[in-house]
Amino acid sequence: MSTTDSVDSNSAIKRSSDTTSQDSIAQNFTESSPENGEIQSVEDGEDALEQLRVLLLGNGISHLENQMGNMQGSLNKVEHVLFDSQELLDRLVPIGVELISREISESRDEMCDVLAPIIDRLIYERGKEDLESMGEAISLALPSAIQAQIESSPETLARVLGPEISAAIRTQMDLKHGAIAEAIAAEMGEAIQRQIELDRDVMVDALYPIIGGTINKYLQEVINDINEKVSDSLSPEGIKRKVRARMQGVSEAELILRESSRFSARAAFLIHKESGLVIAEAQSEDAESLESDMLAGMLTAIRSFAADCVIADDGGSELNEIEYGSSRILLEVAGYCYVAVIASGEVPKVYLHKLRNTFGSLVQNYRKEISEFEGDLGTVPEDVTTRLSWLIEQGSSKEKKNSDDKESFPVVTWALGGIGVAIVGLFGFFSYQNYRVNQLETAAIESVAQDPTLGLYNLTAALDGDRMVMRGRVPSDNLRILAEHRMTTAVGAIDDGIAVDNQVRAVNVPPNPTAVAAEVHRTIQLFNQREGVNLDPAYRLRYDPASDTTQGEVTVNGSVGAVPVSEVRSALATIPGVDQVVTNLEPIMPKIGTRLYFSVGSANVVTIDRQVKLTPISNLLKRSPQVRLKIIGYSPSDETGGGQGLALERSRLVRQDLIERGIAPNRLEAEGRVGVPEDVTATSPDWAGRSVAFQAIP
Amino acid sequence: MAKVSKKICLVGDFGVGKTSLIRRFVDRQFDDRYLSTVGVKISRKLVELDPSLPDIATSEVQLLIWDLEGRNKFKAIVPSYLQGARGAILVADISRPGTLRSLEEHLDQFCTINPKSKVMVALNKADLLNEGLPIDTSSLKAVDDHSQVVKRYFTSAKTGDQVDDLFVRLTYQMLRS
């Protein structure tokens, strides 16, 4: 079909190019005509030639020309088709498939060689374009591909997939919860079993923490139970238990343990000793029914085995009990039969007594029937079964209580009655005591709790005999004393026989550093207001390796003036949070500009000077006790009658005056100099040199 | 009607097929793997009886079958396991003459403990007879003549041949005694 189509379209193109080629030929003729018209003679000759040609060939030539024209047209068409790619494509597509398939069938290997280098690229590109259809295409082959790979080299596949398996499982776990578990579950038991076979110890080690934990948990529950019982030891239940313990002659602990693992009898069997056949049985309705015949047989076999192999030496010994976990089988043996009670929990002694009594009377009453028992239950009296049932009832936890009370009724009644009276009396006494204790303790605690400075601290008070013991912590000693005072007052108001035992401790509460710094600053400000004082404090927290604590340290720089350094130090040291004070102070002494002047050759202090000048000085000295005073007497070298002696006399007299005013002599130093004070110059009046000057010294 | 139970024991050397006989009778199964019985194993089987028989008072009996660990040269049967049995099946392996010879010893032990009981003798693995195994029963004379021995059977736990007869016959005998 496709071949036919292509032929048709070829001829169509041929036809259209026919017309084009004819036009171009006509044009050629028109263009060449003027050249032809120039030489007439030649034309004439040509005409003759033409005529000759017509004569010889007829119209054949022109026909040939037409044919050539047509061929030219066809060539043009082919050229067009070859150079127009779209056109070429349109033509090649229909036959392309056939070409390729023919190529594949004829030369398969060459085709492979050609396609091989790009086939991966092809797949990749295609995959990028349409992943889904590519996936669909490959998916068909995938299973068999994997299958083939598994068969040919399983190790390679394992190596490839190995690292991703765990991730894949995890992903699946996220996607569908429980699916993996479901898949593995079936094999789990088998796997564990296999592992146990391979290496038992590893399995034991692996499971140990869990099993240990389970046991721990169980024990914890029992211990909790016991704890509860111990803690309610003063409750009616607890007192009852104490009485019961006394009466049963067991320790209270044992009784508690029994209560924690409550005894209950599940089944009782009367078994023929030799054959192991069941003579009579009774089973609790609460529990699942036991296979009595098999159980009796096996028990008998175990008994026999134990009798023959384990305790053969001592003919009288019998197996009394078989324990398994918290359950046990109690065995009581007589001549021809034995009774087996299957029970759980600790067996109360009372129950053992009942069991023995019942069994004893059974054996006594029905010796003949039991010894002649041949496996026919019809020969067993009904009473035997009834008594076994009674044993089960006695062993069930519900019934046990009632029967206990019933049996020991008179003694318990009297004991409880007596105890009851005592309890009522004690109760009254204790209630009053309790009330009084409560009242005192409440008052004591409230007294401190309501105090604004103490309310912050959690102080407790507990009455111990006639002492009110006060405990807690406060940040300072004065708060401790205050608390004691408050409590003493409050307690004394109720009962003045109660003494307060102050066990409150004053502890060093680390103060807020900002508050401490502010307080330091405020204190220093007070000092700075004094004359000659200019202090600059710095507060910081410092780790002290010696005491292994943080210490607040204040460093003070500047001049302390006349104020004693110790005063600054002690003032700072009283601030809570300041543990250490470092001072770096220069004591700047007050400048005393006062001078006394004297007449020539005289050492007498003028009266007015005594009042006006020496009084302030003496006041200054009184105000600043740390300041000492140097009194320097001058006598100019040209003074008539002057000299060292006069200079000293002047200062000595002033000193004497100050001593008389109450200044300690050791604070006053007198000195005489021949000459004038430094500030007195040659231009100064000559009296300025006859003087006494003062200098404050530390 | 009250339930009647009887204890019977299977006695014989190790590996004669005591457990297999019981398994065939109780579970209707056979397995030719050999599993040694340790100590004792007890099985139970209810045997229905023909009520038309005049001397049988009950319509069914529960057999408690004690499968005892086979005796070997290191270990004797625990005598107390045999106590209280109303019947016994002595088992021997026809392919092992030694097991036939020790039947007498087993019989003596059992009958000393249970002088009123009935005893059946099972010569087991009878299927091997079809394969042309010769058998010498001359050593069984004393056993056959014993007053408590009821009957001797050729049994095969493998094919089930005579197994039911063996147990049921013993049951009837126990009830009649």
Side-chain angles (χ1 to χ4, degrees):
Chain A
M1 275 300 271
S2 61
T3 352
T4 333
D5 281 349
S6 71
V7 169
D8 284 354
S9 57
N10 273 346
S11 59
I13 288 167
K14 216 189 269 171
R15 269 194 303 277
S16 73
S17 49
D18 276 352
T19 42
T20 359
S21 57
Q22 273 167 354
D23 289 347
S24 68
I25 292 168
Q27 206 176 355
N28 282 345
F29 280 134
T30 355
E31 277 169 7
S32 57
S33 59
E35 291 165 24
N36 294 341
E38 277 178 18
I39 313 150
Q40 194 61 47
S41 59
V42 179
E43 221 170 62
D44 291 340
E46 277 187 0
D47 276 346
L49 200 65
E50 179 69 13
Q51 279 167 0
L52 184 66
R53 192 175 54 95
V54 171
L55 278 175
L56 285 171
L57 301 171
N59 282 336
I61 291 292
S62 65
H63 181 70
L64 210 61
E65 278 171 355
N66 279 344
Q67 287 284 331
M68 279 179 69
N70 285 345
M71 274 178 74
Q72 182 68 38
S74 294
L75 264 173
N76 285 348
K77 270 194 286 180
V78 170
E79 215 166 83
H80 172 76
V81 168
L82 275 176
F83 289 100
D84 185 337
S85 55
Q86 184 57 45
E87 190 97 5
L88 189 67
L89 211 60
D90 287 348
R91 274 153 203 290
L92 283 178
V93 164
I95 59 162
V97 177
E98 179 148 1
L99 261 175
I100 292 169
S101 65
R102 195 172 300 171
E103 183 66 27
I104 288 171
S105 65
E106 281 171 9
S107 50
R108 197 185 188 86
D109 292 344
E110 281 88 340
M111 201 63 188
C112 279
D113 288 346
V114 171
L115 287 178
I118 56 154
I119 197 90
D120 53 342
R121 180 85 187 163
L122 270 174
I123 293 171
Y124 175 70
E125 291 297 332
R126 180 62 186 155
K128 270 207 303 194
E129 274 172 23
D130 190 347
L131 202 59
E132 208 167 299
S133 63
M134 195 68 185
E136 262 174 44
I138 294 176
S139 69
L140 281 176
L142 217 49
S144 42
I146 293 171
Q147 181 71 38
Q149 177 66 14
I150 288 171
E151 277 163 19
S152 66
S153 73
E155 296 85 5
T156 316
L157 198 69
R159 231 189 346 267
V160 171
L161 291 179
E164 292 311 312
I165 292 254
S166 57
I169 291 175
R170 255 198 299 281
T171 312
Q172 174 64 9
M173 273 154 61
D174 289 344
L175 289 176
K176 194 175 175 199
H177 189 73
I180 293 278
E182 207 171 295
I184 297 177
E187 287 295 306
M188 208 70 168
E190 184 78 10
I192 291 172
Q193 211 159 4
R194 200 68 64 80
Q195 175 60 24
I196 290 172
E197 276 166 25
L198 283 175
D199 192 344
R200 198 185 195 87
D201 291 344
V202 169
M203 211 58 194
V204 169
D205 281 359
L207 288 177
Y208 181 77
I210 308 168
I211 294 171
T214 314
I215 293 171
N216 271 349
K217 199 178 152 199
Y218 172 74
L219 276 181
Q220 198 57 50
E221 280 167 12
V222 174
I223 288 167
N224 282 347
D225 198 15
I226 290 173
N227 275 346
E228 258 170 45
K229 290 205 159 69
V230 171
S231 65
D232 70 12
S233 57
L234 275 178
S235 68
E237 195 62 43
I239 292 164
K240 237 163 79 187
R241 186 167 52 240
K242 277 185 206 295
V243 174
R244 274 215 317 274
R246 282 284 155 155
M247 296 190 60
Q248 292 181 20
V250 295
S251 76
E252 200 188 346
E254 196 181 331
L255 212 58
I256 287 174
L257 199 65
R258 275 187 208 165
E259 281 179 12
S260 296
S261 54
R262 197 175 278 286
F263 172 76
S264 84
R266 187 176 167 190
F269 303 108
L270 188 67
I271 301 167
H272 194 255
K273 195 168 152 189
E274 288 187 342
S275 64
L277 298 175
V278 176
I279 301 169
E281 65 174 298
Q283 299 205 27
S284 165
E285 286 162 9
D286 303 338
E288 199 182 323
S289 176
L290 295 165
E291 279 273 12
S292 54
D293 295 310
M294 304 289 278
L295 202 131
M298 281 318 292
L299 271 180
T300 309
I302 293 167
R303 272 199 66 253
S304 301
F305 176 77
D308 276 21
C309 303
V310 183
I311 44 183
D313 300 340
D314 179 4
S317 296
E318 285 287 355
L319 189 65
N320 292 326
E321 192 172 313
I322 300 171
E323 272 192 49
Y324 49 105
S326 65
S327 298
R328 62 195 69 224
I329 302 175
L330 306 172
L331 299 171
E332 284 297 324
V333 187
Y336 293 98
C337 64
Y338 65 97
V339 70
V341 174
I342 294 159
S344 60
E346 194 68 33
V347 188
K349 275 193 179 151
V350 182
Y351 188 78
L352 268 184
H353 286 311
K354 280 181 198 165
L355 173 61
R356 283 174 188 152
N357 288 341
T358 310
F359 182 52
S361 67
L362 272 181
V363 173
Q364 211 165 8
N365 295 345
Y366 306 107
R367 178 184 296 276
K368 192 166 172 290
E369 287 86 346
I370 292 170
S371 65
E372 288 174 1
F373 180 71
E374 280 288 330
D376 186 352
L377 290 180
T379 62
V380 180
E382 198 129 309
D383 186 41
V384 178
T385 312
T386 316
R387 289 193 187 212
L388 285 183
S389 304
W390 181 78
L391 272 181
I392 293 299
E393 275 171 30
Q394 292 302 301
S396 81
S397 39
K398 303 176 275 197
E399 302 289 333
K400 203 167 84 40
K401 248 184 205 168
N402 296 339
S403 63
D404 270 358
D405 292 350
K406 235 185 282 166
E407 270 202 359
S408 45
F409 176 74
V411 193
V412 173
T413 315
W414 283 116
L416 284 181
I419 290 164
V421 171
I423 286 173
V424 169
L426 283 173
F427 182 76
F429 175 67
F430 280 124
S431 316
Y432 170 69
Q433 281 293 96
N434 217 19
Y435 165 73
R436 189 172 151 275
V437 169
N438 261 341
Q439 190 193 18
L440 282 167
E441 285 180 354
T442 312
I445 290 168
E446 268 178 8
S447 70
V448 285
Q450 285 169 358
D451 187 280
T453 48
L454 292 168
L456 190 63
Y457 310 106
N458 189 18
L459 300 178
T460 63
L463 194 67
D464 177 12
D466 52 1
R467 284 184 316 139
M468 181 64 76
V469 181
M470 176 168 74
R471 290 194 178 86
R473 287 185 289 185
V474 290
S476 69
D477 250 323
N478 39 7
L479 286 177
R480 188 176 157 273
I481 293 159
L482 180 66
E484 187 183 339
H485 172 72
R486 292 269 183 272
M487 220 172 256
T488 310
T489 316
V491 172
I494 299 169
D495 185 346
D496 54 8
I498 302 288
V500 170
D501 180 2
N502 188 353
Q503 295 188 6
V504 172
R505 287 194 300 145
V507 292
N508 194 8
V509 179
N512 179 1
T514 321
V516 178
E519 184 62 23
V520 166
H521 192 69
R522 201 179 58 77
T523 309
I524 293 297
Q525 280 299 102
L526 285 174
F527 280 105
N528 280 349
Q529 284 170 9
R530 298 207 205 160
E531 194 186 342
V533 179
N534 183 18
L535 298 174
D536 180 21
Y539 172 76
R540 70 176 182 118
L541 285 171
R542 184 177 63 85
Y543 172 73
D544 178 40
S547 63
D548 191 30
T549 52
T550 320
Q551 297 215 323
E553 184 186 82
V554 178
T555 312
V556 190
N557 291 313
S559 45
V560 74
V563 178
V565 177
S566 59
E567 194 183 325
V568 177
R569 293 180 71 100
S570 59
L572 289 172
T574 53
I575 301 171
V578 174
D579 303 296
Q580 204 166 13
V581 179
V582 179
T583 46
N584 187 15
L585 303 173
E586 330 161 343
I588 290 184
M589 291 295 118
K591 264 212 164 87
I592 304 168
T594 311
R595 295 255 169 99
L596 300 181
Y597 301 100
F598 297 85
S599 308
V600 175
S602 162
N604 285 333
V605 180
V606 189
T607 313
I608 187 79
D609 277 358
R610 277 185 212 274
Q611 288 166 0
V612 175
K613 296 181 178 172
L614 284 181
T615 304
I617 287 175
S618 102
N619 285 344
L620 172 73
L621 285 173
K622 280 175 190 166
R623 225 176 28 241
S624 312
Q626 87 286 6
V627 174
R628 296 171 69 239
L629 194 65
K630 194 185 241 184
I631 308 159
I632 309 161
Y634 290 94
S635 168
S637 50
D638 56 351
E639 187 184 3
T640 316
Q644 174 71 31
L646 182 64
L648 188 61
E649 182 63 11
R650 282 175 179 156
S651 65
R652 208 185 51 78
L653 284 175
V654 171
R655 180 172 179 267
Q656 193 55 45
D657 185 272
L658 287 173
I659 288 168
E660 281 164 16
R661 287 168 189 263
I663 307 298
N666 59 358
R667 293 175 65 196
L668 302 167
E669 217 172 88
E671 192 183 311
R673 292 178 189 174
V674 177
V676 293
E678 280 171 10
D679 56 345
V680 175
T681 60
T683 53
S684 302
D686 58 351
W687 53 261
R690 302 186 297 270
S691 58
V692 163
F694 300 91
Q695 188 186 343
I697 54 168
Chain B
M1 187 176 293
K3 188 171 78 176
V4 176
S5 302
K6 296 288 174 191
K7 168 181 174 178
I8 65 169
C9 293
L10 268 81
V11 185
D13 286 358
F14 72 95
V16 294
K18 299 180 291 295
T19 307
S20 294
L21 283 173
I22 295 167
R23 206 160 137 78
R24 167 61 72 183
F25 177 59
V26 176
D27 301 328
R28 327 306 294 174
Q29 281 175 353
F30 177 77
D31 189 336
D32 57 7
R33 281 178 301 176
Y34 174 61
L35 288 171
S36 179
T37 304
V38 177
V40 58
K41 184 171 176 281
I42 297 169
S43 307
R44 185 172 51 162
K45 174 80 175 180
L46 206 61
V47 179
E48 286 183 18
L49 303 170
D50 183 353
S52 61
L53 291 174
D55 51 351
I56 300 300
T58 176
S59 64
E60 56 180 27
V61 168
Q62 177 178 251
L63 287 186
L64 285 157
I65 308 164
W66 288 48
D67 180 9
L68 305 185
E69 182 175 354
R71 191 200 65 172
N72 57 44
K73 55 182 163 178
F74 306 112
K75 216 169 178 183
I77 291 170
V78 177
S80 47
Y81 288 161
L82 299 172
Q83 286 178 350
R86 281 292 148 262
I89 295 173
L90 304 185
V91 189
D93 176 354
I94 56 160
S95 64
R96 284 155 61 207
T99 63
L100 295 170
R101 282 195 294 276
S102 46
L103 280 178
E104 200 180 334
E105 205 180 314
H106 290 305
L107 182 67
D108 283 345
Q109 187 189 16
F110 181 78
C111 292
T112 309
I113 296 168
N114 299 300
K116 288 185 198 162
S117 302
K118 298 293 179 186
V119 177
M120 291 284 170
V121 177
L123 303 181
N124 198 29
K125 309 194 185 176
D127 49 296
L128 297 175
L129 284 177
N130 302 333
E131 293 167 20
L133 187 84
I135 173 143
D136 174 18
T137 53
S138 58
S139 62
L140 298 176
K141 181 140 196 338
V143 173
D144 288 343
D145 290 347
H146 197 284
S147 62
Q148 286 176 256
V149 174
V150 179
K151 200 184 169 187
R152 170 149 62 81
Y153 281 90
F154 282 99
T155 59
S156 169
K158 190 171 184 177
T159 62
D161 196 23
Q162 300 274 39
V163 176
D164 284 3
D165 282 2
L166 173 76
F167 281 94
V168 174
R169 182 76 181 270
L170 178 63
T171 310
Y172 277 109
Q173 284 298 322
M174 286 191 297
L175 290 171
R176 285 195 177 112
S177 63

